[in-house]
Amino acid sequence: MFKRNHKTSLVALWMSLLNTILYHLPFFNFVFKHLETGTLRQLPFSFSLLLTMITANFFTFYLLFSLSRRGGKVLLSLFFTINAIAVYFIHTYGVIIDESMMGNILNTNTEESSSFFSLKLVVYFLLLGALPCMLLWRISIERETRKTFFIRLGLALGLLLGLFALNANQLLWIDKHSKQLGGLAMPWSYTVNTALFYIHQAQKNKKEIRLPDATSTNEEKSIVVLVIGESARRQNFSLYGYEKNTNPLLAQTKNVYPFKANSSATYTTAGVKSILEHKDSSDLYEILPNYLYRNQVEVIWKTTNWGEPPVHIAHYQSKEDLRKLCDSGTCGYDEILLTNLKEDILASTKNKILVVLHTSTSHGPTYNTKYPPAFEVFTPVCTSVDLSNCTQESLINAYDNTIVYTDYLLHRVIEDLKTLTDFKSTLLFVSDHGESLGEKNLYMHGLPMRIAPKEQYEIPFIVWVSDDNTKLKPNTLLSQHHVFHSVLHFLGITSSIYDEKMSIFENE
């Protein structure tokens, strides 16, 4: 096989078959699972999809090799390497590589991405990535004539059109499952969806849409602390009836109100955007901290996370900034967000203050590293990044410990606010999305909303108020967009975009 030159078309066909065999088990598992059972059309349609995939990849690979044999090898090597990593995540965490997942990946920082490293990932990389690349580079490719090139491309294109016509009656099924099918087809899942992500980001971020000016209706000194949770799912908070006591401190705290809420998305960037915007929109409107800062409200942002829209304020502190100021033994955990919190509030000369604390406490897969050892209340805990290797009990125990630590952090903020007696204050805790912990063999988050399980979008919306006279509406289910209008209400900020129905607070 390696001792003589091989025709470009033959090499392209071999690589297409290899690509289909190595990387598309999840694709065809999905097809067989979701096709109507008991029908004679199931097998022919599945075979047509297989033939379509082989032909489409042959068309692309043949074109690449014909344009440049070396360039084609470089690109296919890149595809095989990324395919191997993508299939690892699909097999291990049950993800689908759609546009939202590509946004998640492209916005992941180095520290977070390193937490996914495992021996299993190395095995996938070597067997499904490095080995096919070595095979490819040992093959010598012989260029074909221009006439042969056009004939074979034409035949491949004709076969694709024929397969399309043959399966026209299945277009509704394909359209219904297009995101999942596209997210499992290699290398189309990440190539097409990466391009779509950047195109849509460019469209959304051309210019932040400015909101109408706002004014303060009173001179009362008031503070809102908005804590944005990470991957906190509602069902694991004992405040909502969970059988394990994950909220021992908040349960004993006066004026704490837990509301049920659903997130707008299952990944961080979209979830945080929804928490900070005044309405559900694909456009980038002026977000809450920017809007209030422009309208003379003191805004303080402290974060150990990432993924928020552009924040235009003076007092923004990242994890790196906070580490320079932290001198306690918990600087490696989200407690670092409380560094100089009271001092920063007291240093302000303004009556209206918004503090945003963006946490990372419950982000997987290394849940056991997200809290100090003293908060390992539930044992045994999962310590592997390959969550499917852990028992569900140990996985949930590790995750529940992050909720216990979250309870402690919120309690600490409340205790600090209680000492600021000159201010009327409130704390809002809202998560960006939920988390799957092995239910239906799914892990973490990021599935498209229309197929996401409830564990990935049912979130807590916890409120504390300092004043016994502050009344809250008896809402049964909130959205992340309630935050914007509730903050304006509490701070006494009026604007033409304020929606009274979206505030959680009663008029006084």
Side-chain angles (χ1 to χ4, degrees), residues 9 26 39 44 71 88-89 136 173 192 214 237 269 396 423 442 454 487:
S9 54
T39 173
Y88 164 79
F89 279 94
L136 173 62
W173 184 90
V192 173
F237 283 69
T269 51
I396 292 175
F423 290 87
L442 296 174
K454 62 183 179 64
V487 171

Side-chain angles (χ1 to χ4, degrees), residues 30-154:
F30 179 88
V31 171
F32 282 115
K33 184 177 179 181
H34 290 86
L35 274 178
E36 182 181 348
T37 57
T39 173
L40 293 176
R41 288 197 55 81
Q42 184 181 35
L43 192 58
F45 177 58
S46 300
F47 180 75
S48 293
L49 283 178
L50 175 64
L51 193 55
T52 300
M53 181 172 292
I54 293 171
T55 307
N57 286 329
F58 167 81
F59 183 94
T60 304
F61 298 168
Y62 185 51
L63 184 61
L64 290 175
F65 285 136
S66 298
L67 292 173
S68 171
R69 285 167 287 181
R70 179 171 292 274
K73 285 187 175 184
V74 170
L75 278 175
L76 252 69
S77 297
L78 182 63
F79 287 157
F80 289 159
T81 302
I82 300 175
N83 287 354
I85 296 170
V87 169
Y88 164 79
F89 279 94
I90 291 169
H91 282 159
T92 305
Y93 299 111
V95 303
I96 291 176
I97 315 295
D98 63 354
E99 183 182 348
S100 63
M101 181 57 68
M102 286 312 304
N104 230 3
I105 293 167
L106 294 167
N107 283 294
T108 298
N109 57 33
T110 305
E111 182 177 339
E112 184 177 307
S113 60
S114 64
S115 68
F116 290 98
F117 183 81
S118 70
L119 180 60
K120 182 178 176 181
L121 175 58
V122 174
V123 172
Y124 269 72
F125 171 77
L126 292 176
L127 293 183
L128 298 183
L131 201 57
C133 291
M134 291 171 60
L135 173 66
L136 173 62
W137 282 94
R138 292 194 64 187
I139 296 174
S140 298
I141 302 175
E142 179 183 320
R143 190 182 295 277
E144 296 177 338
T145 65
R146 184 174 298 182
K147 179 181 177 180
T148 302
F149 168 74
F150 283 113
I151 288 174
R152 287 178 177 166
L153 271 190

Side-chain angles (χ1 to χ4, degrees), residues 232-277:
R233 69 183 202 178
R234 186 169 74 227
Q235 72 185 61
N236 288 61
F237 283 69
S238 55
L239 287 178
Y240 293 92
Y242 188 47
E243 64 273 11
K244 291 158 73 173
N245 188 13
T246 54
N247 302 127
L249 298 174
L250 290 180
Q252 302 301 318
T253 304
K254 185 180 178 184
N255 294 339
V256 169
Y257 303 92
F259 292 94
K260 293 180 179 180
N262 288 340
S263 63
S264 300
T266 63
Y267 58 101
T268 298
T269 51
V272 174
K273 179 176 179 288
S274 293
I275 291 171
L276 300 177
E277 64 185 357

Side-chain angles (χ1 to χ4, degrees), residues 199-213:
I199 289 169
H200 293 154
Q201 283 297 108
Q203 291 171 346
K204 287 190 291 186
N205 296 333
K206 283 181 179 177
K207 187 177 180 181
E208 190 176 73
I209 302 171
R210 189 167 169 143
L211 298 176
D213 290 346

Side-chain angles (χ1 to χ4, degrees), residues 209-416:
I209 302 171
R210 189 167 169 143
L211 298 176
D213 290 346
T215 57
S216 178
T217 60
N218 59 60
E219 296 300 317
E220 183 179 32
K221 300 184 75 172
S222 49
I223 305 172
V224 175
V225 177
L226 169 61
V227 182
I228 300 176
E230 169 61 62
S231 305
R233 69 183 202 178
R234 186 169 74 227
Q235 72 185 61
N236 288 61
F237 283 69
S238 55
L239 287 178
Y240 293 92
Y242 188 47
E243 64 273 11
K244 291 158 73 173
N245 188 13
T246 54
N247 302 127
L249 298 174
L250 290 180
Q252 302 301 318
T253 304
K254 185 180 178 184
N255 294 339
V256 169
Y257 303 92
F259 292 94
K260 293 180 179 180
N262 288 340
S263 63
S264 300
T266 63
Y267 58 101
T268 298
T269 51
V272 174
K273 179 176 179 288
S274 293
I275 291 171
L276 300 177
E277 64 185 357
H278 75 290
K279 68 175 183 179
D280 189 13
S281 173
S282 60
D283 294 318
L284 182 62
Y285 283 94
E286 195 173 17
I287 57 173
L288 181 63
N290 300 345
Y291 183 54
L292 292 181
Y293 179 73
R294 181 171 66 82
N295 286 282
Q296 309 310 309
V297 172
E298 184 77 63
V299 180
I300 300 167
W301 185 295
K302 298 173 185 280
T303 179
T304 59
N305 210 324
W306 54 273
E308 69 273 1
V311 178
H312 309 304
I313 63 172
H315 198 146
Y316 179 98
Q317 292 179 306
S318 66
K319 181 189 289 188
E320 291 69 32
D321 298 325
L322 292 167
R323 278 176 176 162
K324 296 173 184 176
L325 302 171
C326 182
D327 58 3
S328 71
T330 55
C331 297
Y333 304 99
D334 273 352
E335 226 165 315
I336 198 173
L337 294 169
L338 308 185
T339 303
N340 294 344
L341 178 58
K342 279 179 60 176
E343 291 80 358
D344 291 338
I345 292 172
L346 292 172
S348 173
T349 59
K350 297 181 178 178
N351 290 333
K352 310 295 182 182
I353 301 175
L354 169 66
V355 177
V356 182
L357 305 178
H358 189 189
T359 71
S360 58
T361 313
S362 296
H363 198 291
T366 53
Y367 305 109
N368 65 301
T369 68
K370 296 294 186 176
Y371 52 84
F375 290 86
E376 193 156 282
V377 177
F378 305 107
T379 57
V381 299
C382 171
T383 59
S384 172
V385 298
D386 186 356
L387 303 182
S388 61
N389 285 340
C390 298
T391 65
Q392 191 168 34
E393 178 194 8
S394 67
L395 176 58
I396 292 175
N397 281 342
Y399 180 83
D400 285 345
N401 290 331
T402 71
I403 305 303
V404 175
Y405 187 49
T406 297
D407 178 78
Y408 166 75
L409 295 175
L410 297 180
H411 174 74
R412 278 278 308 274
V413 175
I414 291 171
E415 292 302 304
D416 280 348

